[in-house]
Short mmCIF file of all heavy atoms in Angstrom, two decimals:
data_model
loop_
_atom_site.label_atom_id
_atom_site.label_comp_id
_atom_site.label_asym_id
_atom_site.label_seq_id
_atom_site.Cartn_x
_atom_site.Cartn_y
_atom_site.Cartn_z
N MET A 171 75.69 -58.81 128.58
CA MET A 171 75.44 -58.20 129.89
C MET A 171 74.35 -58.98 130.63
O MET A 171 73.32 -59.33 130.07
CB MET A 171 75.00 -56.75 129.70
CG MET A 171 75.18 -55.90 130.93
SD MET A 171 74.69 -54.20 130.59
CE MET A 171 73.95 -53.76 132.15
N LYS A 172 74.59 -59.23 131.89
CA LYS A 172 73.62 -59.97 132.69
C LYS A 172 72.43 -59.10 133.04
O LYS A 172 72.58 -57.92 133.35
CB LYS A 172 74.27 -60.44 133.99
CG LYS A 172 75.05 -61.72 133.82
CD LYS A 172 75.70 -62.10 135.14
CE LYS A 172 76.63 -63.29 134.94
NZ LYS A 172 77.44 -63.55 136.14
N LYS A 173 71.27 -59.71 133.00
CA LYS A 173 70.07 -58.99 133.40
C LYS A 173 69.90 -59.10 134.91
O LYS A 173 70.23 -60.11 135.51
CB LYS A 173 68.84 -59.60 132.73
CG LYS A 173 68.66 -59.13 131.30
CD LYS A 173 67.31 -59.56 130.80
CE LYS A 173 66.52 -58.40 130.26
NZ LYS A 173 65.15 -58.79 129.90
N ILE A 174 69.37 -58.06 135.48
CA ILE A 174 69.12 -58.10 136.91
C ILE A 174 67.68 -57.74 137.22
O ILE A 174 67.02 -57.04 136.46
CB ILE A 174 70.05 -57.17 137.72
CG1 ILE A 174 70.05 -55.77 137.13
CG2 ILE A 174 71.45 -57.75 137.82
CD1 ILE A 174 70.61 -54.72 138.06
N LYS A 175 67.22 -58.22 138.33
CA LYS A 175 65.92 -57.82 138.84
C LYS A 175 66.13 -57.48 140.31
O LYS A 175 67.21 -57.68 140.85
CB LYS A 175 64.91 -58.95 138.66
CG LYS A 175 65.32 -60.26 139.29
CD LYS A 175 64.39 -61.37 138.86
CE LYS A 175 64.85 -62.71 139.43
NZ LYS A 175 63.99 -63.82 139.01
N VAL A 176 65.10 -56.96 140.91
CA VAL A 176 65.28 -56.52 142.29
C VAL A 176 64.27 -57.20 143.20
O VAL A 176 63.08 -57.31 142.90
CB VAL A 176 65.23 -54.97 142.38
CG1 VAL A 176 63.93 -54.44 141.80
CG2 VAL A 176 65.38 -54.50 143.82
N CYS A 177 64.76 -57.70 144.31
CA CYS A 177 63.91 -58.37 145.30
C CYS A 177 63.01 -57.34 145.97
O CYS A 177 63.48 -56.33 146.47
CB CYS A 177 64.80 -59.05 146.34
SG CYS A 177 63.86 -59.77 147.70
N LYS A 178 61.70 -57.61 145.97
CA LYS A 178 60.77 -56.64 146.57
C LYS A 178 60.85 -56.63 148.08
O LYS A 178 60.45 -55.68 148.74
CB LYS A 178 59.34 -56.96 146.13
CG LYS A 178 59.07 -56.53 144.71
CD LYS A 178 57.61 -56.68 144.35
CE LYS A 178 57.34 -56.13 142.95
NZ LYS A 178 55.96 -56.38 142.53
N LYS A 179 61.33 -57.70 148.65
CA LYS A 179 61.37 -57.82 150.11
C LYS A 179 62.58 -57.09 150.70
O LYS A 179 62.43 -56.28 151.62
CB LYS A 179 61.42 -59.30 150.47
CG LYS A 179 60.90 -59.64 151.83
CD LYS A 179 60.75 -61.14 151.93
CE LYS A 179 60.70 -61.58 153.38
NZ LYS A 179 60.78 -63.05 153.47
N CYS A 180 63.76 -57.36 150.19
CA CYS A 180 64.96 -56.77 150.81
C CYS A 180 65.70 -55.80 149.90
O CYS A 180 66.70 -55.25 150.30
CB CYS A 180 65.90 -57.87 151.29
SG CYS A 180 66.76 -58.74 149.97
N LYS A 181 65.19 -55.60 148.68
CA LYS A 181 65.78 -54.65 147.72
C LYS A 181 67.12 -55.08 147.14
O LYS A 181 67.80 -54.30 146.48
CB LYS A 181 65.93 -53.25 148.33
CG LYS A 181 64.63 -52.63 148.77
CD LYS A 181 64.88 -51.19 149.20
CE LYS A 181 63.63 -50.53 149.73
NZ LYS A 181 63.29 -51.04 151.07
N ALA A 182 67.51 -56.31 147.36
CA ALA A 182 68.76 -56.78 146.78
C ALA A 182 68.61 -56.94 145.27
O ALA A 182 67.55 -57.30 144.78
CB ALA A 182 69.15 -58.12 147.39
N LEU A 183 69.69 -56.65 144.56
CA LEU A 183 69.71 -56.91 143.13
C LEU A 183 70.11 -58.36 142.90
O LEU A 183 71.09 -58.85 143.44
CB LEU A 183 70.69 -55.96 142.43
CG LEU A 183 70.34 -54.47 142.56
CD1 LEU A 183 71.42 -53.63 141.89
CD2 LEU A 183 69.00 -54.17 141.95
N VAL A 184 69.31 -59.03 142.10
CA VAL A 184 69.46 -60.46 141.90
C VAL A 184 69.55 -60.74 140.41
O VAL A 184 68.84 -60.13 139.61
CB VAL A 184 68.22 -61.20 142.49
CG1 VAL A 184 68.32 -62.70 142.27
CG2 VAL A 184 68.06 -60.87 143.96
N GLU A 185 70.41 -61.64 140.01
CA GLU A 185 70.48 -62.01 138.60
C GLU A 185 69.16 -62.63 138.18
O GLU A 185 68.58 -63.43 138.89
CB GLU A 185 71.62 -63.00 138.38
CG GLU A 185 72.98 -62.32 138.42
CD GLU A 185 74.12 -63.31 138.32
OE1 GLU A 185 73.93 -64.37 137.70
OE2 GLU A 185 75.18 -63.03 138.87
N SER A 186 68.71 -62.26 136.99
CA SER A 186 67.34 -62.63 136.61
C SER A 186 67.16 -64.12 136.34
O SER A 186 66.05 -64.60 136.22
CB SER A 186 66.88 -61.81 135.41
OG SER A 186 67.73 -62.07 134.32
N ASN A 187 68.23 -64.88 136.27
CA ASN A 187 68.06 -66.33 136.08
C ASN A 187 67.76 -67.05 137.41
O ASN A 187 67.41 -68.21 137.41
CB ASN A 187 69.28 -66.94 135.40
CG ASN A 187 70.57 -66.73 136.18
OD1 ASN A 187 70.72 -65.73 136.87
ND2 ASN A 187 71.47 -67.67 136.10
N LEU A 188 67.91 -66.34 138.53
CA LEU A 188 67.59 -66.95 139.82
C LEU A 188 66.11 -66.75 140.11
O LEU A 188 65.55 -65.71 139.79
CB LEU A 188 68.42 -66.30 140.94
CG LEU A 188 69.94 -66.41 140.82
CD1 LEU A 188 70.62 -65.61 141.92
CD2 LEU A 188 70.39 -67.86 140.87
N ASP A 189 65.49 -67.76 140.72
CA ASP A 189 64.07 -67.56 141.03
C ASP A 189 63.84 -67.35 142.53
O ASP A 189 62.72 -67.27 143.00
CB ASP A 189 63.20 -68.70 140.49
CG ASP A 189 63.68 -70.06 140.94
OD1 ASP A 189 64.70 -70.12 141.64
OD2 ASP A 189 63.04 -71.06 140.58
N GLU A 190 64.93 -67.22 143.25
CA GLU A 190 64.81 -66.94 144.68
C GLU A 190 65.93 -65.98 145.08
O GLU A 190 67.05 -66.10 144.61
CB GLU A 190 64.95 -68.25 145.45
CG GLU A 190 64.66 -68.13 146.92
CD GLU A 190 64.77 -69.47 147.63
OE1 GLU A 190 63.82 -70.27 147.55
OE2 GLU A 190 65.84 -69.73 148.21
N CYS A 191 65.60 -65.03 145.93
CA CYS A 191 66.61 -64.09 146.41
C CYS A 191 67.61 -64.83 147.31
O CYS A 191 67.22 -65.49 148.26
CB CYS A 191 65.92 -62.97 147.19
SG CYS A 191 67.08 -61.88 148.03
N PRO A 192 68.90 -64.72 146.99
CA PRO A 192 69.90 -65.42 147.80
C PRO A 192 70.04 -64.87 149.22
O PRO A 192 70.57 -65.54 150.10
CB PRO A 192 71.21 -65.26 147.01
CG PRO A 192 70.98 -64.13 146.07
CD PRO A 192 69.50 -64.02 145.85
N LEU A 193 69.55 -63.66 149.44
CA LEU A 193 69.70 -63.06 150.77
C LEU A 193 68.52 -63.37 151.68
O LEU A 193 68.68 -63.77 152.82
CB LEU A 193 69.88 -61.54 150.66
CG LEU A 193 71.16 -61.06 149.97
CD1 LEU A 193 71.22 -59.55 149.99
CD2 LEU A 193 72.40 -61.64 150.61
N CYS A 194 67.30 -63.16 151.18
CA CYS A 194 66.14 -63.32 152.06
C CYS A 194 65.22 -64.45 151.60
O CYS A 194 64.22 -64.73 152.23
CB CYS A 194 65.36 -62.01 152.14
SG CYS A 194 64.42 -61.65 150.65
N HIS A 195 65.56 -65.09 150.48
CA HIS A 195 64.78 -66.19 149.91
C HIS A 195 63.38 -65.75 149.48
O HIS A 195 62.48 -66.57 149.36
CB HIS A 195 64.71 -67.38 150.88
CG HIS A 195 66.08 -67.84 151.30
ND1 HIS A 195 66.94 -68.48 150.43
CD2 HIS A 195 66.75 -67.70 152.46
CE1 HIS A 195 68.08 -68.72 151.06
NE2 HIS A 195 68.00 -68.25 152.29
N GLY A 196 63.24 -64.46 149.25
CA GLY A 196 61.98 -63.95 148.73
C GLY A 196 61.81 -64.35 147.27
O GLY A 196 62.80 -64.58 146.57
N LYS A 197 60.59 -64.41 146.84
CA LYS A 197 60.34 -64.83 145.46
C LYS A 197 59.56 -63.81 144.66
O LYS A 197 59.05 -64.09 143.58
CB LYS A 197 59.60 -66.17 145.45
CG LYS A 197 60.56 -67.30 145.79
CD LYS A 197 59.90 -68.64 145.88
CE LYS A 197 60.97 -69.68 146.22
NZ LYS A 197 60.38 -70.95 146.66
N GLU A 198 59.45 -62.61 145.20
CA GLU A 198 58.78 -61.55 144.45
C GLU A 198 59.82 -60.55 143.98
O GLU A 198 60.59 -60.01 144.77
CB GLU A 198 57.76 -60.85 145.34
CG GLU A 198 56.42 -61.53 145.34
CD GLU A 198 55.38 -60.63 145.97
OE1 GLU A 198 55.00 -59.64 145.33
OE2 GLU A 198 54.99 -60.90 147.12
N PHE A 199 59.79 -60.28 142.68
CA PHE A 199 60.79 -59.40 142.13
C PHE A 199 60.17 -58.30 141.30
O PHE A 199 59.13 -58.48 140.68
CB PHE A 199 61.76 -60.20 141.25
CG PHE A 199 62.51 -61.25 142.00
CD1 PHE A 199 62.06 -62.56 142.01
CD2 PHE A 199 63.65 -60.92 142.72
CE1 PHE A 199 62.75 -63.54 142.72
CE2 PHE A 199 64.34 -61.89 143.42
CZ PHE A 199 63.89 -63.20 143.43
N GLY A 200 60.85 -57.18 141.27
CA GLY A 200 60.48 -56.10 140.37
C GLY A 200 61.50 -56.08 139.22
O GLY A 200 62.62 -56.55 139.37
N GLU A 201 61.10 -55.51 138.12
CA GLU A 201 61.95 -55.58 136.94
C GLU A 201 62.83 -54.35 136.73
O GLU A 201 63.83 -54.42 136.05
CB GLU A 201 61.10 -55.79 135.68
CG GLU A 201 60.46 -57.16 135.61
CD GLU A 201 61.49 -58.28 135.51
OE1 GLU A 201 62.56 -58.04 134.92
OE2 GLU A 201 61.24 -59.38 136.02
N ASN A 202 62.41 -53.23 137.27
CA ASN A 202 63.15 -52.01 136.96
C ASN A 202 63.69 -51.31 138.20
O ASN A 202 63.11 -50.35 138.68
CB ASN A 202 62.24 -51.04 136.18
CG ASN A 202 61.90 -51.59 134.82
OD1 ASN A 202 62.78 -51.88 134.01
ND2 ASN A 202 60.61 -51.75 134.57
N PRO A 203 64.80 -51.81 138.69
CA PRO A 203 65.38 -51.15 139.85
C PRO A 203 65.79 -49.72 139.52
O PRO A 203 66.29 -49.44 138.44
CB PRO A 203 66.62 -52.00 140.18
CG PRO A 203 66.89 -52.82 138.96
CD PRO A 203 65.59 -52.96 138.24
N LYS A 204 65.53 -48.81 140.46
CA LYS A 204 65.88 -47.41 140.23
C LYS A 204 67.04 -47.03 141.14
O LYS A 204 66.89 -46.97 142.34
CB LYS A 204 64.68 -46.51 140.52
CG LYS A 204 63.58 -46.73 139.52
CD LYS A 204 62.59 -45.58 139.53
CE LYS A 204 61.57 -45.73 138.43
NZ LYS A 204 60.82 -46.98 138.54
N GLY A 205 68.17 -46.83 140.52
CA GLY A 205 69.34 -46.47 141.29
C GLY A 205 69.94 -47.70 141.94
O GLY A 205 69.25 -48.67 142.21
N MET A 206 71.21 -47.68 142.15
CA MET A 206 71.85 -48.84 142.75
C MET A 206 72.86 -48.38 143.78
O MET A 206 73.57 -47.41 143.57
CB MET A 206 72.58 -49.64 141.67
CG MET A 206 73.13 -50.94 142.19
SD MET A 206 74.14 -51.79 140.94
CE MET A 206 75.73 -51.10 141.28
N ILE A 207 72.85 -49.05 144.91
CA ILE A 207 73.90 -48.76 145.89
C ILE A 207 74.62 -50.06 146.21
O ILE A 207 74.03 -51.14 146.17
CB ILE A 207 73.35 -48.12 147.19
CG1 ILE A 207 72.30 -49.04 147.85
CG2 ILE A 207 72.79 -46.74 146.93
CD1 ILE A 207 72.05 -48.68 149.29
N ILE A 208 75.89 -49.94 146.49
CA ILE A 208 76.66 -51.10 146.92
C ILE A 208 77.00 -50.90 148.38
O ILE A 208 77.63 -49.91 148.76
CB ILE A 208 77.94 -51.24 146.07
CG1 ILE A 208 77.55 -51.47 144.60
CG2 ILE A 208 78.78 -52.42 146.59
CD1 ILE A 208 78.74 -51.42 143.65
N VAL A 209 76.51 -51.83 149.20
CA VAL A 209 76.76 -51.73 150.63
C VAL A 209 77.90 -52.69 150.98
O VAL A 209 77.80 -53.88 150.77
CB VAL A 209 75.49 -52.09 151.42
CG1 VAL A 209 75.78 -52.11 152.92
CG2 VAL A 209 74.37 -51.10 151.12
N LEU A 210 78.98 -52.13 151.48
CA LEU A 210 80.12 -52.96 151.84
C LEU A 210 80.17 -53.21 153.34
O LEU A 210 80.67 -54.21 153.81
CB LEU A 210 81.43 -52.29 151.40
CG LEU A 210 81.58 -52.10 149.89
CD1 LEU A 210 82.83 -51.29 149.58
CD2 LEU A 210 81.63 -53.44 149.16
N ASP A 211 79.66 -52.24 154.08
CA ASP A 211 79.75 -52.32 155.53
C ASP A 211 78.42 -51.84 156.13
O ASP A 211 78.30 -50.70 156.57
CB ASP A 211 80.91 -51.44 155.98
CG ASP A 211 81.24 -51.64 157.46
OD1 ASP A 211 80.53 -52.42 158.13
OD2 ASP A 211 82.19 -51.00 157.93
N PRO A 212 77.42 -52.71 156.11
CA PRO A 212 76.07 -52.29 156.52
C PRO A 212 76.00 -51.70 157.92
O PRO A 212 75.18 -50.82 158.18
CB PRO A 212 75.24 -53.56 156.42
CG PRO A 212 76.19 -54.68 156.20
CD PRO A 212 77.48 -54.10 155.68
N LYS A 213 76.85 -52.14 158.83
CA LYS A 213 76.80 -51.63 160.20
C LYS A 213 77.22 -50.17 160.30
O LYS A 213 76.84 -49.46 161.21
CB LYS A 213 77.69 -52.47 161.11
CG LYS A 213 77.09 -53.83 161.37
CD LYS A 213 77.74 -54.47 162.61
CE LYS A 213 77.11 -55.81 162.90
NZ LYS A 213 77.60 -56.86 161.97
N ASN A 214 78.04 -49.73 159.36
CA ASN A 214 78.52 -48.35 159.40
C ASN A 214 78.02 -47.49 158.25
O ASN A 214 78.54 -46.43 158.01
CB ASN A 214 80.06 -48.34 159.42
CG ASN A 214 80.59 -48.91 160.72
OD1 ASN A 214 80.25 -48.44 161.79
ND2 ASN A 214 81.40 -49.94 160.63
N SER A 215 77.02 -47.98 157.55
CA SER A 215 76.50 -47.24 156.42
C SER A 215 75.16 -46.61 156.76
O SER A 215 74.21 -47.29 157.13
CB SER A 215 76.34 -48.18 155.21
OG SER A 215 75.52 -47.56 154.24
N GLU A 216 75.09 -45.28 156.65
CA GLU A 216 73.84 -44.58 156.93
C GLU A 216 72.75 -44.98 155.94
O GLU A 216 71.59 -45.11 156.30
CB GLU A 216 74.05 -43.07 156.85
CG GLU A 216 74.85 -42.49 158.02
CD GLU A 216 74.18 -42.78 159.37
OE1 GLU A 216 72.95 -42.64 159.46
OE2 GLU A 216 74.89 -43.14 160.31
N ILE A 217 73.15 -45.16 154.68
CA ILE A 217 72.16 -45.55 153.66
C ILE A 217 71.60 -46.93 153.98
O ILE A 217 70.40 -47.16 153.89
CB ILE A 217 72.80 -45.55 152.26
CG1 ILE A 217 73.33 -44.15 151.92
CG2 ILE A 217 71.78 -45.98 151.20
CD1 ILE A 217 74.23 -44.12 150.69
N ALA A 218 72.47 -47.84 154.36
CA ALA A 218 72.03 -49.19 154.69
C ALA A 218 71.04 -49.15 155.85
O ALA A 218 70.02 -49.84 155.84
CB ALA A 218 73.22 -50.07 155.03
N LYS A 219 71.33 -48.34 156.85
CA LYS A 219 70.41 -48.23 158.00
C LYS A 219 69.06 -47.68 157.56
O LYS A 219 68.01 -48.16 157.97
CB LYS A 219 71.02 -47.29 159.05
CG LYS A 219 72.06 -47.98 159.91
CD LYS A 219 72.64 -46.98 160.91
CE LYS A 219 73.99 -47.45 161.43
NZ LYS A 219 74.72 -46.36 162.09
N LYS A 220 69.12 -46.66 156.70
CA LYS A 220 67.90 -46.04 156.21
C LYS A 220 67.02 -47.04 155.45
O LYS A 220 65.81 -47.03 155.55
CB LYS A 220 68.27 -44.89 155.27
CG LYS A 220 67.57 -43.59 155.59
CD LYS A 220 68.09 -42.51 154.66
CE LYS A 220 67.27 -41.24 154.81
NZ LYS A 220 67.79 -40.18 153.94
N LEU A 221 67.66 -47.88 154.66
CA LEU A 221 66.91 -48.83 153.84
C LEU A 221 66.65 -50.14 154.57
O LEU A 221 66.00 -51.03 154.05
CB LEU A 221 67.68 -49.10 152.54
CG LEU A 221 67.86 -47.91 151.60
CD1 LEU A 221 68.75 -48.29 150.42
CD2 LEU A 221 66.53 -47.41 151.09
N GLY A 222 67.19 -50.27 155.76
CA GLY A 222 66.98 -51.49 156.53
C GLY A 222 67.79 -52.67 156.00
O GLY A 222 67.37 -53.82 156.07
N ILE A 223 68.96 -52.36 155.49
CA ILE A 223 69.81 -53.41 154.92
C ILE A 223 70.78 -53.91 155.98
O ILE A 223 71.47 -53.14 156.64
CB ILE A 223 70.59 -52.85 153.71
CG1 ILE A 223 69.62 -52.56 152.57
CG2 ILE A 223 71.68 -53.82 153.27
CD1 ILE A 223 70.22 -51.71 151.47
N GLY A 224 70.83 -55.22 156.15
CA GLY A 224 71.70 -55.77 157.18
C GLY A 224 72.85 -56.61 156.64
O GLY A 224 73.70 -57.07 157.38
N LYS A 225 72.87 -56.80 155.33
CA LYS A 225 73.94 -57.61 154.74
C LYS A 225 74.61 -56.84 153.62
O LYS A 225 73.96 -56.06 152.94
CB LYS A 225 73.37 -58.91 154.14
CG LYS A 225 72.96 -59.92 155.17
CD LYS A 225 72.47 -61.17 154.47
CE LYS A 225 71.91 -62.18 155.47
NZ LYS A 225 71.32 -63.34 154.80
N GLU A 226 75.90 -57.08 153.41
CA GLU A 226 76.55 -56.41 152.31
C GLU A 226 76.04 -56.96 150.98
O GLU A 226 75.58 -58.09 150.88
CB GLU A 226 78.06 -56.56 152.41
CG GLU A 226 78.57 -57.98 152.38
CD GLU A 226 80.09 -58.02 152.48
OE1 GLU A 226 80.63 -57.57 153.50
OE2 GLU A 226 80.72 -58.54 151.55
N GLY A 227 76.11 -56.12 149.96
CA GLY A 227 75.65 -56.54 148.64
C GLY A 227 75.21 -55.35 147.82
O GLY A 227 75.43 -54.21 148.21
N LYS A 228 74.59 -55.64 146.69
CA LYS A 228 74.10 -54.59 145.82
C LYS A 228 72.60 -54.48 145.99
O LYS A 228 71.88 -55.47 145.99
CB LYS A 228 74.41 -54.93 144.36
CG LYS A 228 75.87 -54.87 144.02
CD LYS A 228 76.09 -55.29 142.58
CE LYS A 228 77.56 -55.44 142.27
NZ LYS A 228 77.77 -56.13 140.99
N TYR A 229 72.14 -53.24 146.12
CA TYR A 229 70.73 -53.01 146.35
C TYR A 229 70.19 -51.91 145.47
O TYR A 229 70.93 -51.01 145.07
CB TYR A 229 70.50 -52.62 147.82
CG TYR A 229 70.86 -53.69 148.79
CD1 TYR A 229 72.14 -53.79 149.28
CD2 TYR A 229 69.91 -54.62 149.21
CE1 TYR A 229 72.49 -54.79 150.18
CE2 TYR A 229 70.24 -55.62 150.10
CZ TYR A 229 71.53 -55.71 150.59
OH TYR A 229 71.86 -56.69 151.46
N ALA A 230 68.90 -51.98 145.22
CA ALA A 230 68.23 -50.89 144.52
C ALA A 230 67.80 -49.87 145.55
O ALA A 230 67.45 -50.21 146.68
CB ALA A 230 67.01 -51.42 143.77
N VAL A 231 67.82 -48.61 145.16
CA VAL A 231 67.36 -47.56 146.06
C VAL A 231 65.84 -47.58 146.16
O VAL A 231 65.26 -47.43 147.22
CB VAL A 231 67.86 -46.18 145.59
CG1 VAL A 231 67.32 -45.07 146.47
CG2 VAL A 231 69.39 -46.15 145.60
N LYS A 232 65.20 -47.79 145.00
CA LYS A 232 63.74 -47.92 144.97
C LYS A 232 63.36 -49.18 144.20
O LYS A 232 64.04 -49.54 143.24
CB LYS A 232 63.12 -46.72 144.24
CG LYS A 232 63.00 -45.51 145.11
CD LYS A 232 62.24 -44.44 144.35
CE LYS A 232 62.09 -43.18 145.19
NZ LYS A 232 61.47 -42.11 144.45
N VAL A 233 62.29 -49.79 144.60
CA VAL A 233 61.82 -50.98 143.88
C VAL A 233 60.72 -50.57 142.92
O VAL A 233 59.79 -49.89 143.32
CB VAL A 233 61.29 -52.05 144.86
CG1 VAL A 233 60.77 -53.25 144.07
CG2 VAL A 233 62.39 -52.47 145.78
ZN1 ZN B 1228 65.61 -60.47 149.08
#
């Protein structure tokens, strides 16, 4: 199973072998994402708006 970490800047879930977030190029990560949401359509997703997510992908609810 692949390990994941969570970008502190945009809350995206990132594979732990990457040292840069592919979405926002942030380099600060947290280790224990709490809850996960998959955003498929950020423009029409209330959760995405709430979390300030503008791109589709997998995100942690809390960092
Ligand atoms: Zn990021």
Side-chain angles (χ1 to χ4, degrees):
M171 201 178 143
K172 277 178 187 171
K173 279 191 126 186
I174 51 163
K175 56 190 177 182
V176 56
C177 174
K178 284 188 175 174
K179 205 169 160 189
C180 73
K181 300 187 183 73
L183 298 177
V184 178
E185 285 175 29
S186 60
N187 59 328
L188 299 174
D189 54 358
E190 188 179 280
C191 172
L193 295 183
C194 74
H195 305 290
K197 284 177 180 166
E198 274 193 72
F199 298 97
E201 291 296 328
N202 293 302
K204 293 198 174 58
M206 187 186 90
I207 58 163
I208 298 171
V209 175
L210 297 174
D211 190 357
K213 288 198 178 77
N214 292 304
S215 165
E216 288 302 317
I217 300 168
K219 280 179 201 164
K220 231 176 172 179
L221 296 175
I223 292 166
K225 287 182 186 175
E226 61 180 62
K228 291 177 189 167
Y229 296 89
V231 177
K232 280 186 180 175
V233 178

